[in-house]
């Protein structure tokens, strides 16, 4: 079975792994790590940034899969739209809203604040369901002097996702792909969909996380870095697994008492 390695034990762990035959330097960062790096108010931001800064001298290559990169950008899409909608609803003078549009945003803001109170540390970000409900109240284009939904998107999003993706490059994160000839030595077998589906079936892991874990399994890397409880759970539940996940100490401590089967 794989292991969950706390941040505090990582350097000792890496020294052992680096001495093993076939060791391939590098790691896959999951979506939560990418978001924590680039969203300064994220509760794990300081811990994740501190950890990666503390191991810079090892010069480990950092990679993201197509799944992690799309989820990372999707989070920032929702964050940006949330911030813009709340600004406009607060009557910032940039765009004019109808009474119904403003009321819908305020209603969703109230529900969002309630969720945050129930679960401190939650991200102050509208869900896709919230955004869809708000979108339905808007006209697509300008109507009766009020801004349409497309104007909201243009004001909030123009060039934003491209700039947000560039931030990953600034942190040294590279997109990994089996279709890149130069990266083929990073894999020992082809990434296939049935294996990702099988991972989900074995532990109930979400399909997007299953695809990340499957990419790790097919790579020559020994470990991924994550703050996701479910990903660590799936690694520990895999009796025949040989891959590990590195997590904050507080997250790694959450798996005590689950009685995972031994290989």
């Amino acid at each position: 079975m794989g292991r969950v390695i706390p941040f505090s034990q990582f350097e000792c762990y890496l020294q052992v792994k680096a001495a093993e035959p076939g060791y391939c330097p590098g790691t896959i960062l999951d979506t939560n790590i990418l978001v924590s790096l680039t969203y300064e108010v994220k509760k794990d931001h300081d811990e994740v940034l501190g950890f990666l800064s503390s191991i810079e001298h090892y010069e480990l290559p950092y990679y993201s899969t197509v799944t992690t990169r799309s989820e990372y950008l999707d989070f920032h899409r929702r964050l940006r739209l949330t911030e813009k909608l709340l600004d406009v609803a607060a009557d910032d003078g940039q765009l004019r809203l109808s009474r119904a549009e403003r009321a819908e945003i305020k209603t969703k803001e109230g529900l969002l604040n309630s969720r945050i109170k129930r679960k401190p540390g939650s991200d102050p970000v509208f869900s896709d369901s919230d955004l869809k409900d708000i979108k339905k109240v808007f006209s697509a284009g300008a109507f009766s002097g009020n801004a349409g939904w497309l104007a909201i998107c243009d004001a909030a999003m123009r060039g934003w996702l491209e700039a947000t993706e560039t931030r990953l490059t600034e942190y040294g994160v590279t997109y990994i792909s089996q279709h890149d000839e130069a990266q083929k030595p990073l894999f020992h077998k082809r990434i296939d969909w049935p294996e990702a589906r099988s991972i989900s079936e074995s532990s109930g892991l979400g399909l997007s996380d299953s695809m990340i874990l499957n990419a790790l399994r097919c790579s020559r890397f020994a470990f991924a870095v994550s703050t996701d409880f479910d990903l660590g759970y799936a690694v520990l539940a895999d009796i025949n697994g040989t891959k590990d996940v590195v997590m904050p100490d507080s997250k790694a401590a959450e798996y005590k008492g689950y009685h995972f089967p031994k290989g």
Side-chain angles (χ1 to χ4, degrees):
M1 62 185 288
R3 295 179 292 165
V4 170
I5 310 299
F7 280 176
S8 62
Q9 298 177 21
F10 176 73
E11 294 198 59
C12 291
Y13 164 82
L14 184 62
Q15 290 168 10
V16 172
K17 280 294 176 183
E20 294 179 354
Y23 168 75
C24 180
T27 184
I28 294 174
L29 306 182
D30 85 340
T31 307
N32 291 313
I33 295 293
L34 300 182
V35 171
S36 293
L37 272 177
T38 56
Y39 182 41
E40 288 74 11
V41 301
K42 187 79 171 175
K43 64 179 180 179
D44 297 318
H45 171 75
D46 291 342
E47 191 171 12
V48 168
L49 184 60
F51 169 69
L52 294 181
S53 297
S54 73
I55 63 171
E56 279 183 350
H57 57 287
Y58 290 107
E59 298 183 340
L60 285 173
Y62 300 140
Y63 294 95
S64 66
T65 68
V66 65
T67 302
T68 57
R69 187 158 295 219
S70 64
E71 289 183 335
Y72 159 76
L73 289 174
D74 205 43
F75 171 83
H76 280 284
R77 171 190 65 85
R78 292 189 296 111
L79 172 64
R80 185 68 169 176
L81 285 171
T82 298
E83 292 175 339
K84 187 61 181 177
L85 288 165
L86 294 180
D87 284 347
V88 173
D91 199 15
D92 65 0
Q94 297 179 40
L95 295 169
R96 181 180 168 186
L97 302 183
S98 70
R99 188 173 299 174
E101 291 164 352
R102 195 181 308 278
E104 182 65 22
I105 296 170
K106 288 294 187 181
T107 296
K108 289 297 188 286
E109 181 182 15
L111 294 173
L112 176 61
N113 290 335
S114 295
R115 290 199 295 266
I116 294 171
K117 286 182 180 179
R118 289 196 307 271
K119 190 175 181 181
S122 299
D123 297 317
V125 179
F126 286 148
S127 67
D128 265 325
S129 178
D130 293 332
L131 291 172
K132 287 176 184 176
D133 287 344
I134 294 171
K135 182 191 294 186
K136 288 177 181 178
V137 178
F138 277 79
S139 169
F143 181 72
S144 295
N146 298 320
W149 178 256
L150 299 180
I152 295 286
C153 292
D154 184 69
M157 302 289 291
R158 183 187 290 271
W160 181 254
L161 293 183
E162 181 180 1
T164 302
E165 189 168 17
T166 299
R167 294 191 67 186
L168 294 184
T169 304
E170 295 170 357
Y171 281 106
V173 182
T174 302
Y175 172 63
I176 191 170
S177 172
Q178 285 189 320
H179 301 296
D180 185 339
E181 288 293 327
Q183 293 187 356
K184 285 196 172 181
L186 301 178
F187 298 90
H188 65 86
K189 66 176 182 178
R190 180 182 175 186
I191 300 176
D192 285 325
W193 167 250
E195 292 195 33
R197 185 179 60 210
S198 177
I199 291 171
S200 180
E201 290 174 344
S202 66
S203 65
L205 187 65
L207 269 300
S208 59
D209 285 336
S210 296
M211 292 170 68
I212 296 169
L213 182 53
N214 189 37
L216 175 64
R217 283 182 174 182
C218 296
S219 77
R220 297 188 183 278
F221 304 135
F223 61 93
V225 184
S226 173
T227 65
D228 189 336
F229 176 84
D230 284 347
L231 193 62
Y233 192 102
V235 165
L236 291 170
D238 185 0
I239 296 177
N240 300 312
T242 59
K243 303 293 185 174
D244 304 317
V245 60
V246 178
M247 310 186 83
D249 288 47
S250 59
K251 298 288 184 181
E254 293 180 358
Y255 300 101
K256 294 178 181 178
Y258 282 95
H259 309 294
F260 289 99
K262 304 297 183 182

